[in-house]
Amino acid sequence: MDIFQVFNDRRSIRKYKETQVEAVKIEQILNAARLAPSWKNMQCWRFLVINDQEKKTALLQAFPEENPGSRAIATAPVIIVVCADPSESGVENGIEYFIADTAIAFEHLCLAAHALGLGSCWMGWFDEAAIRTALAIPENIRVVGITPLGYPDQEPKARPRKSLSDITFYNRWEKL
Ligand SMILES: Cc1cc2nc3c(=O)[nH]c(=O)nc-3n(C[C@H](O)[C@H](O)[C@H](O)COP(=O)(O)O)c2cc1C
């Protein structure tokens, strides 16, 4: 699939079919994440792949009911918990780059999933301490985001985006 078509057609998917995801596709998706750029190429990201129903149910407790994606945590065939070890990244100008490193890898993962006909949804609204307890994730590791992964059972419309002219400036910080 053409990369611009992938950008254009990817959606946050919150409803999944029960169909299992092939192990080879999961590996392809994780490999796409692994190829992301990172601070000094330190690759601080870690991926915890969950397909055990008991663990998924335990994870669900960490999501507020109002989170529109929380049902997908219980129902998607696979959940990927995207983590980072901040000691394998840097801080500059007050920016903690483990978040940027891991976010890039996470988006590679989401785009690769879409290119393979799978859905994902970056989820950030959860209780990190509860996730850590549910999955026995060490204290030094941060949970940057979580995504369900599976075959989409919905075709959401594109959500609106700001226009290029609202977010882009040429040569100076000023609208023409
Ligand atoms: C950092 C981040 C956190 C997000 N957290 C959640 C979440 O907790 N629950 C959810 O349902 N969607 C979450 N989303 C998905 C956004 O709502 C979604 O990307 C946005 O509405 C645009 O829709 P689209 O992804 O289909 O283009 C999150 C997205 C990002 C990038």
Side-chain angles (χ1 to χ4, degrees):
M1 199 187 280
D2 172 69
I3 191 167
F4 289 96
Q5 195 185 335
V6 175
F7 293 150
N8 205 58
D9 297 348
R10 182 213 54 82
R11 304 278 181 274
S12 288
I13 300 297
R14 300 182 177 86
K15 197 161 179 258
Y16 292 87
K17 294 183 175 154
E18 283 178 16
T19 319
Q20 291 304 308
V21 181
E22 300 86 335
V24 65
K25 285 197 175 180
I26 297 175
E27 201 171 310
Q28 257 182 298
I29 288 165
L30 292 171
N31 201 43
R34 189 177 69 90
L35 297 175
S38 62
W39 177 273
K40 295 188 179 170
N41 198 26
M42 289 176 80
Q43 306 161 53
C44 67
W45 44 67
R46 301 289 185 273
F47 307 98
L48 185 49
V49 181
I50 308 287
N51 56 15
D52 175 272
Q53 191 55 46
E54 256 178 51
K55 290 226 162 74
K56 281 194 249 167
T57 309
L59 262 185
L60 188 61
Q61 316 304 319
F63 286 81
E65 263 178 41
E66 311 88 284
N67 189 323
S70 57
R71 223 184 84 80
I73 295 297
T75 56
V78 179
I79 306 295
I80 301 181
V81 184
V82 183
C83 300
D85 179 347
S87 73
E88 293 187 10
S89 190
V91 180
E92 195 67 46
N93 299 312
I95 299 173
E96 295 189 79
Y97 275 100
F98 78 86
I99 302 170
D101 294 342
T102 312
I104 299 166
F106 198 161
E107 185 61 1
H108 275 208
L109 184 159
C110 294
L111 295 172
H114 179 68
L116 293 173
L118 292 159
S120 66
C121 178
W122 181 320
M123 293 179 58
W125 185 14
F126 53 73
D127 177 342
E128 186 186 15
I131 299 281
R132 213 183 257 125
T133 306
L135 300 175
I137 296 172
E139 277 298 319
N140 61 314
I141 299 295
R142 297 298 308 267
V143 181
V144 176
I146 296 181
T147 182
L149 182 75
Y151 287 94
D153 197 19
Q154 62 176 176
E155 285 184 24
K157 287 201 188 102
R159 308 258 359 249
R161 293 294 193 264
K162 293 174 183 170
S163 69
L164 264 189
S165 61
D166 283 336
I167 59 170
T168 312
F169 308 96
Y170 286 92
N171 295 318
R172 54 185 182 177
W173 194 268
E174 190 169 56
K175 274 198 185 181
L176 295 177

